[in-house]
């Protein structure tokens, strides 16, 4: 017996020794035959969703058996999340169907040891981002997704499933760190976020804009149907515009349906929806010194032109009406500086009042939400200084400052659209826009606002841009509206200069200026004298160069022919403009039209 016990002990010892000599790698898991889409989490920006289509058909493949305890339609979809770095990740759903989505996350080893990581979650939003934690205890992480179509009990209609509807799934390990601009001040009475974050790719803000040119359309109903938080909203005579926040790390382009997958189309209201639009909240960048603008002190200005470009303001605003009103949608005006008294002489004094316009004030700050449009970068001070610098009309001149650009030289598209509509409402004579949005197609909300300005007889003067580009091929807006049918109120301005510094010769296009004889109405000189930003005394002037200055040169000349001054565009063209054979023959400006630097002297 003892002999047998001894042999048994030796055998057991051998087994133990053999076991201890095996590596974990020598042990293989049973084959997992699950066949479902795998979602990667290792891309922080631009993670392309996996799209489930044909939502009325069962998912193909060998699906794991999971205890999904949400409301089910029998058409649930399952994905596997691939190796979250630390076990935590953000699940992203792009919901291109008018439905409540139900979803649940499970951990497992293939189909064994299945454990729910979350309970049943649900959302009515078109974009869903959910942080999932403690997924690192499992070899496999599965997400089950199902949907319930909206009904008229809680939504706009009893929706039916369309043939092109879908659910997109993506995931990221962590939220991207993006830049932002300061926005609403806490003391402001106007609602809005304290900061506006950039999208992941930095091209837009992290929100979309929905709206309609029809002021009777119920845009708010559409916003509710989208299920996203309202960032801020505007409603006026020109229609309704609503900004909706997009979850961090998700693509505003994908959510807005501007790509191949129109997320929002299934949720449009069934009535009066044809004139609704949705766009990204584009980041608008204004030209600054070294970035589109240059120091005009470094260029040679013809001696004969200096008196014609001199800053000599006159005929400021008066109470009681009868003013020509120029609305500068720009970066504001320097308040409290050396030239404050000059600028004060042109403040708004008409009777019209609104949430954005009050008599006796400089204008409105659409960033901070207050009535102090104080310039932080100098661009607005230079453009407004150019307008008042040599205005020669008989009627008094008002310059209203609609500040949309802040300290970074950036503005939101939402702010630009609201400022344009408000400029029309206050019966501006001219709106000066020394900026542009580079897009292949015209942005819809801005198109509505510009066309509305035309219907009210408001002229818009804007820049061609400073990239030495043909804006037929590389359009920027509103400049590319110039000379187009239905936009006869838009005057797009290029910059010109005189060869050999001789103002008697035909001018040529400034080297930096954009051009197009199909879209650019007129050229003006490339610089003018204006008060220096943060000047220390009244002898402190600048010559800033760029189409940003050429446009207000046209504005101040044209202002003497519009509004209470009478005349009109045709008379101004006949009396003030000339034709350059160079600008015409090279196809740079319509019929080679330009404003001579000393026109009117």
């Amino acid at each position: 017996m003892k002999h047998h016990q001894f042999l048994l002990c030796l055998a057991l010892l051998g087994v133990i020794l053999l076991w201890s000599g095996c590596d974990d790698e020598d042990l293989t898991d049973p084959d997992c035959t699950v066949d479902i889409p795998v979602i990667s989490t290792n891309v922080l920006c631009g993670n392309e969703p996996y799209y489930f289509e044909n939502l009325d058909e069962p998912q193909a493949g060998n699906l794991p058996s999971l205890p999904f305890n949400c409301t089910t339609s029998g058409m649930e979809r399952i994905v596997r999340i691939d190796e979250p770095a630390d076990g935590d990740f953000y699940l992203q759903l792009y919901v291109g169907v008018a439905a409540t989505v139900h979803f649940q996350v499970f951990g497992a080893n293939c189909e064994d040891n299945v454990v729910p990581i979350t309970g049943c979650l649900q959302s009515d939003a078109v974009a869903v981002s959910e942080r999932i934690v403690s997924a690192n205890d499992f070899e496999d992480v599965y997400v089950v997704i199902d949907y319930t179509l909206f009904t008229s009990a809680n939504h706009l209609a009893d929706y039916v499933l369309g043939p092109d509807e879908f659910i997109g799934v993506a995931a990221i390990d962590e939220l991207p760190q993006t830049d932002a601009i300061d926005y609403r001040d806490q003391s402001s009475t106007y609602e809005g976020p304290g900061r506006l974050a950039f999208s992941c790719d930095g091209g837009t803000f992290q929100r979309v804009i929905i709206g309609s040119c029809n002021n009777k359309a119920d845009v708010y109903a559409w916003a509710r149907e989208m299920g996203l938080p309202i960032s801020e909203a505007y409603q006026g005579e020109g229609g309704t515009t609503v900004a909706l926040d997009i979850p961090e790390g998700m693509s505003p382009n994908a959510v807005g349906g501007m790509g191949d997958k129109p997320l929002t189309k299934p949720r449009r209201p069934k009535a009066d929806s044809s004139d609704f639009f949705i766009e990204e909240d584009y980041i608008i960048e204004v030209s600054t010194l070294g970035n589109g603008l240059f120091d005009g002190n470094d260029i040679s200005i013809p001696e004969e032109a200096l008196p014609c470009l001199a800053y000599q303001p006159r005929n400021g605003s008066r109470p009681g009406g009868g003013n020509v009103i120029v609305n500068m949608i720009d970066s504001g005006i320097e308040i409290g500086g050396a030239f404050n008294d000059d600028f004060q002489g042109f403040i708004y004094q008409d009777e019209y009042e609104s949430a954005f316009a009050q008599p006796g004030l400089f204008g409105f700050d659409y960033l901070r939400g207050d009535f102090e449009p104080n310039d932080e970068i100098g661009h607005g001070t230079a453009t407004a200084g150019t307008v008042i610098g040599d205005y020669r009309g008989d009627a008094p001149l008002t310059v209203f400052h609609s500040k949309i650009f802040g300290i970074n030289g950036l503005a939101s598209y939402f702010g630009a659209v609201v400022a344009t509509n408000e400029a029309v409402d206050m019966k501006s004579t001219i709106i000066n826009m020394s900026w542009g949005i580079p897009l292949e197609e015209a942005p819809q909300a801005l198109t509505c606002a510009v066309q509305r300005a035309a219907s009210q007889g408001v002229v818009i003067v804007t820049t061609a841009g400073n990239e030495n580009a043909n804006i037929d091929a590389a359009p920027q807006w509103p400049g590319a509206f110039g000379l187009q049918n239905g936009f006869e109120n838009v005057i797009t301005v290029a910059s010109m200069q005189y060869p050999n510094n001789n103002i008697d010769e035909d001018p040529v296009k400034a080297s930096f200026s954009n051009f197009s004889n199909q879209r650019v109405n007129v050229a003006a000189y490339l610089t003018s004298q204006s008060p220096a930003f943060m000047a220390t005394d009244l002898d402190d002037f600048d010559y800033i160069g760029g189409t940003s200055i050429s446009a207000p040169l046209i504005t101040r000349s044209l202002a003497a022919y519009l509004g209470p001054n009478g005349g009109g565009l045709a008379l101004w063209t006949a009396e003030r403009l000339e034709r350059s054979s160079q600008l015409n023959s090279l196809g740079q400006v319509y019929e080679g039209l330009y404003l001579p630097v000393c026109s009117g002297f």
Side-chain angles (χ1 to χ4, degrees), residues 178-195:
T178 62
D179 289 330
I181 64 169
D182 291 332
Y183 202 58
R184 286 285 184 269
D185 190 280
Q186 289 185 345
S187 62
S188 173
T189 58
Y190 294 83
E191 293 184 1
R195 288 168 64 80

Side-chain angles (χ1 to χ4, degrees), residues 77-94:
R77 299 297 193 261
I78 305 177
V79 298
R80 177 179 175 273
I81 305 299
D82 184 32
E83 299 179 5
D86 60 358
D88 298 349
F89 66 96
Y90 288 85
L91 175 66
Q92 301 172 334
L93 302 179
Y94 295 86

Side-chain angles (χ1 to χ4, degrees), residues 338-592:
F339 287 89
N340 187 78
D341 288 347
D342 281 3
F343 303 148
Q344 186 83 28
F346 295 85
I347 62 170
Y348 179 67
Q349 299 192 64
D350 279 43
E351 295 180 356
Y352 173 81
E353 295 185 24
S354 75
F356 304 93
Q358 294 292 320
L361 300 175
F362 283 106
F364 190 79
D365 185 337
Y366 284 87
L367 291 165
R368 304 288 185 268
D370 60 40
F371 288 96
E372 292 190 8
N374 197 22
D375 194 357
E376 299 173 88
I377 57 175
H379 189 275
T381 298
T383 56
T386 300
V387 171
I388 69 173
D390 194 29
Y391 167 69
R392 290 174 172 259
D394 293 328
L397 175 66
T398 290
V399 178
F400 187 94
H401 304 277
S402 297
K403 176 184 173 181
I404 63 170
F405 294 100
I407 195 167
N408 298 316
L410 303 177
S412 75
Y413 175 58
F414 178 90
V417 169
V418 174
T420 304
N421 275 309
E422 282 297 311
V424 175
D425 285 347
M426 66 182 293
K427 303 189 185 315
S428 300
T429 311
I430 301 174
I431 303 173
N432 191 99
M433 299 177 172
S434 287
W435 46 267
I437 309 172
L439 293 171
E440 290 185 10
E441 301 293 334
Q444 292 172 283
L446 185 62
T447 300
C448 290
V450 172
Q451 288 179 325
R452 179 167 173 259
S455 72
Q456 301 296 313
V458 180
V459 173
I460 291 176
V461 177
T462 187
T463 54
N466 301 315
E467 293 77 33
N468 188 28
N470 186 326
I471 61 173
D472 284 329
Q476 55 177 271
W477 312 91
F481 288 130
L483 298 169
Q484 305 306 296
N485 289 334
F487 296 93
E488 289 78 11
N489 64 317
V490 177
I491 308 296
T492 301
V493 185
S495 289
M496 63 80 168
Q497 61 190 110
Y498 293 95
N500 306 312
N501 268 2
N502 184 350
I503 65 173
D504 293 324
E505 292 188 27
D506 272 1
V508 297
K509 184 184 78 69
S511 60
F512 58 81
S513 178
N514 289 354
F515 57 92
S516 165
N517 63 357
Q518 301 298 311
R519 296 181 187 269
V520 176
N521 304 70
V522 65
Y525 197 58
L526 74 172
T527 190
S528 185
Q529 189 181 57
S530 61
F533 182 54
M534 302 184 72
T536 56
D537 58 56
L538 294 176
D539 294 322
D540 198 356
F541 294 101
D542 276 337
Y543 283 90
I544 305 298
T547 57
S548 286
I549 302 301
S550 300
L553 281 172
I554 294 295
T555 292
R556 83 179 185 197
S557 175
L558 188 54
Y561 282 78
L562 298 181
N565 284 312
L569 276 170
L571 184 62
W572 172 75
T573 300
E575 292 189 354
R576 289 287 173 256
L577 302 188
E578 296 183 10
R579 286 171 170 79
S580 163
S581 58
Q582 288 264 30
L583 295 173
N584 187 33
S585 63
L586 295 176
Q588 295 168 335
V589 177
Y590 174 71
E591 293 188 353

Side-chain angles (χ1 to χ4, degrees), residues 10 28 167 233 260:
L10 282 177
T28 58
I167 296 175
D260 297 332

